[in-house]
Amino acid sequence: MKKIIKKDNNNNNNKVKKTQTSKTGELSYEEIQKIHSELSDRNKNDKLIASKEKCDVIGKSFGFIEPSIRKDIVDENIDKPFVLLSYGGTSKEIKRERKEKLRLEKLKTKKLGSKKKRELSFFSISSENCIYDQYLPLHQLWTQYIQDVMQQQKGPALVNKLLKADLHGAIVIVTKSKCPTFVGQKGIIVQETENTFKIITKENKLNIIPKEQCQFYLECCNQVVTIFGKHFCFRACDRANKKFKPRMNIEL
């Protein structure tokens, strides 16, 4: 019985001390914990409000959210739309995509080959356009062009320039040929290929004359020039860069 009485006395003494401290004006332990918890809650709320304001400003201006602010939003389960900046891929994938784009652009802008041009009759002249008077303005343009090129030159200098000149629009006469039907034909050169001249005559006919078997007569700058077709078998664009060698004996 004595031991039990002592314990009760100790508990009563402790209660008396706690009540005495509260009466004197000092805070108890429980009250301090409550105040601490309230302050921590206030700080959290202030931080969340500040983070929300930052998110609103950044979202309106740029459309994305900073990663530090994003963590606060995810932790508090706040639904806020944001844009993820995804990586485009590896450098190899980007190079492949660029190559494919260039290949598709080339396919769209693919040029016609010579075979398809022949199938489509790209270079053919219709019978409706085979009118001699219609090509006389072309001959007038050629005369002005050849005068500017020659610049009143004579002799071998004239020949060298005439070899590299364009003959579309020139009037040509066939003087010699292995085939007698070509001899004497006269007309305006409308089209020149590697091995042929296409000529429109005064009878409004389109004649194709081979270069290799014929000799031609041409007037330019009040001078007469003979053209040997066998050594003239080049395209007009290739003839401009071709170096011709003088030859003493020329045969048909």
Side-chain angles (χ1 to χ4, degrees):
M1 293 298 288
K2 289 179 181 180
K3 290 181 180 179
I4 291 165
I5 290 163
K6 286 179 180 179
K7 285 181 180 179
D8 291 332
N9 292 325
N10 292 324
N11 289 323
N12 290 323
N13 293 323
N14 290 325
K15 286 178 181 179
V16 171
K17 287 178 181 179
K18 286 180 181 179
T19 53
Q20 286 176 356
T21 54
S22 62
K23 287 178 182 179
T24 54
E26 293 179 359
L27 296 172
S28 64
Y29 180 74
E30 292 177 356
E31 290 174 352
I32 291 164
Q33 284 183 346
K34 286 180 182 180
I35 293 163
H36 182 70
S37 62
E38 288 176 358
L39 291 171
S40 63
D41 293 332
R42 285 180 185 175
N43 290 325
K44 285 182 181 179
N45 291 324
D46 293 335
K47 286 180 181 179
L48 288 170
I49 291 163
S51 65
K52 287 178 186 177
E53 290 176 354
K54 287 181 181 178
C55 290
D56 292 331
V57 172
I58 294 165
K60 288 178 182 178
S61 58
F62 299 104
F64 65 92
I65 300 166
E66 291 183 355
S68 62
I69 299 166
R70 193 183 298 164
K71 288 179 182 179
D72 297 331
I73 294 165
V74 172
D75 292 334
E76 296 296 329
N77 296 320
I78 297 168
D79 295 328
K80 179 75 178 177
F82 58 91
V83 178
L84 289 172
L85 299 172
S86 60
Y87 181 62
T90 59
S91 60
K92 290 182 180 179
E93 291 177 355
I94 293 164
K95 286 179 181 178
R96 286 175 186 172
E97 289 177 357
R98 286 177 183 173
K99 284 181 180 179
E100 286 180 0
K101 285 181 181 178
L102 291 170
R103 187 176 62 81
L104 293 170
E105 287 177 359
K106 285 180 180 178
L107 289 171
K108 288 179 182 178
T109 59
K110 192 174 181 180
K111 294 181 180 179
L112 289 171
S114 59
K115 193 174 183 181
K116 287 186 178 180
K117 285 179 181 178
R118 288 171 191 167
E119 290 174 358
L120 296 167
S121 65
F122 190 78
F123 296 108
S124 64
I125 298 167
S126 62
S127 59
E128 296 176 355
N129 294 321
C130 293
I131 300 166
Y132 183 80
D133 294 333
Q134 193 174 355
Y135 292 96
L136 286 173
L138 180 66
H139 174 64
Q140 292 175 0
L141 288 171
W142 182 81
T143 53
Q144 292 176 4
Y145 158 74
I146 204 72
Q147 285 175 4
D148 293 334
V149 170
M150 295 303 173
Q151 296 177 356
Q152 297 179 356
Q153 291 185 359
K154 295 181 181 180
L158 185 142
V159 174
N160 290 327
K161 287 198 172 182
L162 184 65
L163 287 170
K164 297 182 180 182
D166 190 4
L167 298 177
H168 289 90
I171 294 173
V172 173
I173 302 169
V174 180
T175 54
K176 290 182 181 180
S177 178
K178 287 184 179 180
C179 182
T181 56
F182 292 130
V183 177
Q185 290 191 11
K186 180 181 178 180
I188 299 168
I189 296 172
V190 177
Q191 191 174 359
E192 182 186 359
T193 62
E194 187 175 355
N195 296 311
T196 59
F197 282 125
K198 288 184 180 180
I199 291 171
I200 287 177
T201 62
K202 289 183 178 180
E203 291 80 15
N204 297 328
K205 290 182 180 180
L206 183 68
N207 294 331
I208 298 170
I209 298 169
K211 291 179 181 178
E212 190 175 359
Q213 299 175 1
C214 299
Q215 183 177 338
F216 301 95
Y217 168 88
L218 178 67
E219 288 184 3
C220 68
C221 301
N222 298 321
Q223 293 183 14
V224 177
V225 180
T226 56
I227 296 170
F228 295 93
K230 188 174 183 180
H231 303 288
F232 209 72
C233 292
F234 300 100
R235 292 184 297 175
C237 59
D238 295 334
R239 195 173 68 244
N241 298 320
K242 180 73 176 174
K243 290 183 179 180
F244 292 91
K245 295 180 180 179
R247 297 184 183 184
M248 297 299 293
N249 296 322
I250 300 170
E251 297 178 359
L252 292 177

